[in-house]
Amino acid sequence: MKVHVKVNDNVYVLSGKDKGKSGKVLRVVPEKNRVFVEGVNIVTKHKRPDQRNNTGGIIHQEASINASNVMLVCPKCKRPAKTGRKFNTEGEKVRYCKACDATIDVINRAKNR
């Protein structure tokens, strides 16, 4: 399954306990349609001491949220916006903001176009 956001994208949270927050995407799990966003959906984990973490204790970390609950923030207009895909003049497939028609990034290099 394709996810509309990538790692390092800035996103806005649309629903849930962290509604209204924004942050950077840390990890994407396309098989489950989940994303990990920096500073969003923080959970408390009780860790036992082990070889890597000698102290153990209570740690706070990000948990995943459904990708449909986040919206990409356009780097040009600085607002959450719907995105689309199209080919630019060089024949490259790009993501673009549907609100301001700005190119966000190149998805992949099109072959024989």
Side-chain angles (χ1 to χ4, degrees):
M1 172 178 256
K2 277 241 184 218
V3 181
H4 66 284
V5 292
K6 297 186 201 178
V7 174
N8 293 329
D9 278 347
N10 193 18
V11 295
Y12 176 82
V13 180
L14 298 171
S15 64
K17 68 179 183 181
D18 293 314
K19 179 180 179 177
K21 288 186 180 179
S22 61
K24 186 173 75 167
V25 175
L26 301 173
R27 208 167 93 205
V28 178
V29 185
E31 300 84 31
K32 295 183 178 181
N33 199 33
R34 310 286 285 181
V35 293
F36 290 80
V37 181
E38 187 175 47
V40 173
N41 199 20
I42 301 293
V43 294
T44 304
K45 299 276 279 187
H46 298 266
K47 292 289 224 174
R48 294 183 64 160
D50 59 8
Q51 290 291 335
R52 283 186 268 153
N53 183 12
N54 291 333
T55 58
I58 299 171
I59 63 164
H60 302 283
Q61 67 185 30
E62 291 90 359
S64 68
I65 59 174
N66 199 294
S68 66
N69 292 337
V70 298
M71 188 176 248
L72 183 68
V73 175
C74 175
K76 184 180 176 193
C77 57
K78 305 287 188 234
R79 294 185 315 199
K82 291 181 180 179
T83 58
R85 297 182 178 114
K86 66 180 178 181
F87 289 98
N88 64 7
T89 55
E90 290 84 38
E92 299 170 332
K93 195 173 193 180
V94 295
R95 283 193 304 173
Y96 73 99
C97 172
K98 288 188 176 182
C100 65
D101 203 40
T103 299
I104 297 168
D105 64 350
V106 176
I107 296 173
N108 59 6
R109 305 278 181 210
K111 294 178 182 167
N112 300 331
R113 281 218 167 238

